[in-house]
Amino acid sequence: MMRYLSARLAQQIDEELMSSAGAFSLDQLMELAGLACAQAVAAVYRKDVYPRVLICCGPGNQGGDGLVAARHLGMFGYQPTIYMPKPGSKVIYQRLQKQCENMKIPVLPPSNDVDDLRKALHDSDVILDAIFGFSFKPPIRFPFDTVLPLLNQSRLPIVSVDIPSGWDVEKGNDLGVGLQPNVLISLTAPKQGVKDYTGRHFLGGRFVPKSLEERFELHLPHYPDSAQIVELDSESSMHKY
């Protein structure tokens, strides 16, 4: 019976992972999370059919995961493009962006105009949504109140990271303004707001120590072999609390 997390509990586990209980740095967690996201894209959307991936990044840690995923997708042989309407200001974010630029991954210039986004959507095969994380609280503010409808209207397949952008971490898409992803890659453990999600659902972030898993009664599934993701089947999806 896998546990679905509230916002408070998700934040607490993140803090524990970066304390002596986990002893991870933020860089390490982002690297592992972003690798898992890239693997999820590759597991569902083959590069010979869906080579062009538009990675939409917010200014927080979720966006950092997206930048890591962009770098790995480039290494996997995809053609990633990064869209950041509001780039993050932290040093770690800027370093991750520089790593992508060093790989010659195109980055759309920040702008309040969505013309570049419209063109990028026309030239893309799949979207990786790394805009908002589990700390998001409605309402959606500018410029993302314009961005999210465009992503939904594009009719491109969407892969969302951890929680679909625009969804409340506990109440889901009650307001009806969030993205409608085809694939969701939950990190660490799924969040309460996605308990009724019906698309393909993966779990990623193969970094939770057994001690924390047992302490918080997460009941995480086993990851196969060396994979950084595991697909959640209908049986595991039925056990949510």
Side-chain angles (χ1 to χ4, degrees), residues 4 8 28 35 45 79 91-93 111 116 145 160 182 190 213-214 237:
Y4 278 54
R8 182 193 62 79
Q28 286 179 294
L35 175 57
Y45 299 106
Q79 301 167 30
V91 172
I92 185 174
Y93 196 105
S111 173
D116 284 344
D145 58 345
S160 284
N182 306 81
E213 180 181 349
E214 292 168 358
S237 296

Side-chain angles (χ1 to χ4, degrees), residues 21-60:
F24 285 97
S25 68
L26 179 58
D27 299 62
Q28 286 179 294
L29 294 176
M30 279 189 175
E31 186 67 27
L32 291 168
L35 175 57
C37 295
Q39 284 197 355
V41 172
V44 181
Y45 299 106
R46 289 168 26 194
K47 64 185 176 185
D48 58 333
V49 181
Y50 300 89
R52 302 170 300 175
V53 185
L54 179 64
I55 296 95
C56 299
C57 299

Side-chain angles (χ1 to χ4, degrees), residues 24-198:
F24 285 97
S25 68
L26 179 58
D27 299 62
Q28 286 179 294
L29 294 176
M30 279 189 175
E31 186 67 27
L32 291 168
L35 175 57
C37 295
Q39 284 197 355
V41 172
V44 181
Y45 299 106
R46 289 168 26 194
K47 64 185 176 185
D48 58 333
V49 181
Y50 300 89
R52 302 170 300 175
V53 185
L54 179 64
I55 296 95
C56 299
C57 299
N61 291 345
Q62 191 93 336
D65 295 342
L67 291 172
V68 173
R71 171 162 44 82
H72 283 291
L73 286 167
M75 292 178 176
F76 293 173
Y78 287 82
Q79 301 167 30
T81 297
I82 297 169
Y83 172 64
M84 297 182 294
K86 187 178 179 182
S89 59
K90 293 181 180 178
V91 172
I92 185 174
Y93 196 105
Q94 294 170 355
R95 283 195 289 106
L96 292 172
Q97 180 179 345
K98 182 60 176 175
Q99 291 168 10
C100 291
E101 292 171 352
N102 289 342
M103 287 189 62
K104 302 188 183 303
I105 295 173
V107 180
L108 300 184
S111 173
N112 291 334
D113 193 313
V114 294
D115 285 348
D116 284 344
L117 174 59
R118 292 182 193 275
K119 183 178 185 304
L121 289 169
H122 182 267
D123 295 333
S124 298
D125 302 303
V126 61
I127 296 166
L128 179 63
D129 157 37
I131 298 175
F132 297 137
F134 64 73
S135 60
F136 167 78
K137 293 291 183 185
I140 300 171
R141 296 174 177 82
F142 183 83
F144 300 102
D145 58 345
T146 303
V147 170
L148 295 194
L150 283 177
L151 299 184
N152 271 334
Q153 293 163 14
S154 73
R155 299 189 180 277
L156 292 174
I158 298 174
V159 179
S160 284
V161 177
D162 205 25
I163 188 87
S165 289
W167 292 33
D168 184 274
V169 69
E170 294 171 1
K171 299 177 183 178
N173 196 26
D174 282 1
L175 298 179
V177 296
L179 295 183
Q180 300 292 338
N182 306 81
V183 179
L184 174 65
I185 170 72
S186 291
L187 299 174
T188 305
K191 312 306 181 289
Q192 289 179 355
V194 302
K195 63 182 181 296
D196 295 321
Y197 175 73
T198 57

